């Protein structure tokens, strides 16, 4: 009876994939462990290896087919001694494979027994067989061939495929110098690694596409951008008094209604400071430093999905009331997941305010491709010296994170020197 070759699950989150290419054609002999197809997952293109020896009798899913469900039959393999007449018996498709359940957050309790699924045991056995054939190095046939051509020692390559298997992208990354080879002391030996400690209960929350994108961008920012940090303390008493006066006079209903927050003053002061120090409103590129003509400010907003930064366009040309109304509308849309790309893409400078959570001060990661982000802490009463005497004032610490490639320390200091007086004497922002 022909063996059904099923669409494999090449990642823990994979439920379907694209059969990008067949590496064998009908009638070709197939050996166990030999690559027979290339599968595109949501993360990468990976090779699929045969689990049994035989002849590729019939291809059920042609190359280039997308949306192929995991465990769906994609081909039939003739066993030794079988001829094509056996395919007729298998032509009638069996019951459709059960659609794999979508991944759900799973609570783990170390006190309960957790038997390994039969499918997991079969896969582990297949992986173990591959290890026995390849020694201590587990690599796909294509990876082995590329390693030989590039003169790469497989024993010193860290595999990124399933169960640590070395795949094509690993060899290409090493050959291109993007992935360092393991030092001799890091090369795995025959000694088994200690078991992973699973004594702590946990709950897994699958990463959304949005969360993955945020993680990727911030990792690239912290890794590739040379950050430096400048902090300044600003007294808030005059600002808080003016805010209370303006809010008391503000219309409470209708389109013109508004209620000013401290963050609205921070946005306004930042915009005017950038107009005075345009060199801080910049982006680094390998060819040139781009200085933005418009003052478009991104403001970090926490949402159930993660952090997003809607943009207030031409903030330097808007008054406090307009900034307040626009920021409130953008924040509501952000939390509802209804922002359009035009409302969150772009921006030349970011503000991140954690003062409402009681955070005194912090250093934020730059929002690429921008060059600066201002981290705003909570206003709190602190002892200060005024006219040679000790006094109490409400003080807010602001920390500027700067890309040193495009903005020098002096420019960052000039920006904060322009920002601080407007916060401490907010009437200057009303002119």
């Amino acid at each position: 009876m022909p063996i059904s070759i099923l669409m494999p699950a090449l990642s823990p989150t994979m439920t379907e994939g694209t059969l990008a290419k067949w590496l064998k054609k009908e009638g070709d002999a197939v050996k166990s462990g030999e690559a027979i197809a290339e599968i595109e997952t949501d993360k990468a293109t990976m090779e699929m290896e045969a689990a049994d020896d035989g002849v590729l009798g019939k291809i059920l899913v042609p190359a280039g087919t997308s949306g192929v469900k995991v465990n769906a039959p994609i081909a039939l393999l003739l066993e030794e001694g079988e001829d094509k007449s056996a395919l007729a018996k298998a032509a009638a498709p069996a019951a459709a494979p059960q659609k794999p359940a979508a991944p759900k957050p799973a609570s783990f309790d170390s006190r309960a027994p957790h038997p390994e699924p039969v499918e997991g045991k079969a896969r582990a056995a297949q992986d173990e067989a591959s290890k026995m054939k390849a020694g201590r190095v587990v690599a796909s046939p294509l990876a082995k061939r590329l390693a030989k051509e590039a003169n790469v020692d497989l024993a010193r390559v860290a595999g990124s495929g399933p169960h640590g298997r070395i795949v094509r992208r690993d060899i290409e990354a090493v050959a291109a110098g993007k992935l360092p080879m393991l030092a001799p002391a890091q090369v795995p030996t025959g000694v088994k690694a200690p078991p992973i400690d699973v004594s702590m209960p946990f709950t897994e929350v699958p990463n959304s596409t949005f969360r993955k994108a945020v993680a990727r961008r911030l990792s690239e920012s912290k890794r590739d951008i040379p950050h430096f940090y400048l902090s300044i303390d600003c007294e808030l008493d005059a600002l808080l008094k003016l805010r209370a006066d303006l809010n008391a006079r503000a219309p409470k209903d209708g389109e013109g209604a508004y209620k000013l927050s401290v963050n609205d003053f921070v946005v306004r002061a930042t915009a005017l400071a950038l107009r005075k120090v345009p060199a801080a409103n910049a982006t680094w590129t390998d060819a040139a430093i781009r200085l933005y003509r418009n003052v478009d400010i991104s403001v970090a907003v926490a949402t159930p999905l993660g952090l997003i930064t809607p943009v207030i366009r031409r903030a330097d040309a808007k008054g406090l009331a307009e900034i307040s109304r626009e920021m409130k509308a953008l924040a509501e849309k952000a939390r509802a997941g209804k922002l359009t790309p035009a409302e969150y893409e772009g921006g030349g400078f970011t503000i991140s305010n954690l003062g409402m959570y009681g955070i005194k001060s912090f250093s934020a990661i730059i929002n690429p491709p921008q060059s600066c982000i201002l981290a705003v802490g909570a206003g709190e009463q602190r002892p200060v010296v005024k006219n040679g005497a000790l006094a109490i004032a409400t003080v807010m610490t602001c920390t500027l994170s700067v890309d040193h490639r495009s903005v020098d320390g002096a420019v960052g200091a000039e920006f904060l020197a322009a920002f601080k007086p407007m916060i401490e004497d907010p009437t200057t922002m009303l002119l």
Side-chain angles (χ1 to χ4, degrees), residues 50-73:
D52 303 281
D53 296 341
V55 174
L56 187 59
K58 186 175 181 61
I59 292 176
L60 302 177
V61 177
T65 303
S66 60
V68 183
K69 300 296 183 182
V70 169
N71 291 332

Side-chain angles (χ1 to χ4, degrees), residues 37 57 109 176 204 213 237 265 270 310 364 367 373 391 400 430-431:
D109 188 344
E204 287 189 348
D237 295 291
F265 284 88
T270 298
N367 181 21
I373 180 170
L400 184 68
L430 304 180
L431 302 178

Side-chain angles (χ1 to χ4, degrees), residues 175-195:
K178 297 179 180 178
L179 180 68
M181 296 183 69
L182 297 173
Q186 294 175 287
V187 176
T189 65
V191 180
K192 291 185 178 180

Side-chain angles (χ1 to χ4, degrees), residues 121-358:
K121 292 182 178 179
R123 190 175 299 160
Q126 182 179 351
D127 291 337
E128 196 60 34
S130 298
K131 292 180 182 179
M132 292 177 64
K133 290 182 180 181
R136 290 191 298 269
V137 177
V138 184
S140 69
L142 179 58
K144 293 177 184 177
R145 178 169 61 79
L146 293 176
K148 185 176 181 181
E149 294 173 356
N151 196 26
V152 172
D153 183 3
L154 283 172
R156 295 181 61 192
V157 176
S160 63
H163 305 284
R165 172 190 287 169
I166 300 170
V167 293
R168 177 178 60 188
R169 63 171 176 266
D170 302 321
I171 303 302
E172 292 174 344
V174 169
K178 297 179 180 178
L179 180 68
M181 296 183 69
L182 297 173
Q186 294 175 287
V187 176
T189 65
V191 180
K192 291 185 178 180
I196 299 174
D197 181 13
V198 292
S199 60
M200 295 295 293
F202 63 86
T203 298
E204 287 189 348
V205 179
N207 291 322
S208 64
T209 302
F210 180 86
R211 174 61 66 180
K212 292 176 182 176
V214 171
R216 184 185 70 254
R217 284 172 56 82
L218 293 183
S219 295
E220 291 173 353
S221 173
K222 195 64 175 176
R223 181 184 66 239
D224 298 337
I225 296 178
H227 289 57
F228 74 90
Y229 309 94
L230 302 171
S231 294
I232 198 165
D233 290 336
C234 304
E235 294 186 18
L236 288 182
D237 295 291
L239 186 152
L240 295 175
K241 183 178 184 304
L242 178 62
R243 171 177 172 260
D245 291 343
L246 293 176
N247 281 339
R249 302 176 186 180
K252 303 298 188 260
D253 300 307
E255 293 183 1
Y258 64 87
K259 184 177 181 181
L260 299 178
S261 68
V262 172
N263 202 57
D264 297 330
F265 284 88
V266 171
V267 172
R268 173 74 172 154
T270 298
L272 295 178
L274 287 174
R275 183 56 67 196
K276 291 183 178 181
V277 189
N281 190 19
T283 284
W284 168 266
T285 72
D286 290 335
I289 295 174
R290 295 177 182 173
L291 300 176
Y292 297 114
R293 296 189 183 98
N294 295 337
V295 179
D296 297 337
I297 296 182
S298 306
V299 182
V301 175
T303 75
L305 293 176
L307 196 67
I308 194 166
T309 52
V311 182
I312 298 180
R313 311 285 178 183
R314 298 180 179 270
D316 58 320
K318 295 176 178 177
L320 287 166
E322 187 176 0
I323 289 173
S324 179
R325 287 191 292 264
E326 186 172 339
M327 190 63 242
K328 180 181 178 181
L330 288 171
E332 289 176 351
K333 291 182 71 174
R335 295 187 182 101
K338 296 181 179 180
L339 285 176
T340 65
E343 292 172 320
Y344 62 79
E345 290 181 348
F349 189 106
T350 294
I351 295 172
S352 179
N353 190 339
L354 293 180
M356 66 286 293
Y357 298 104

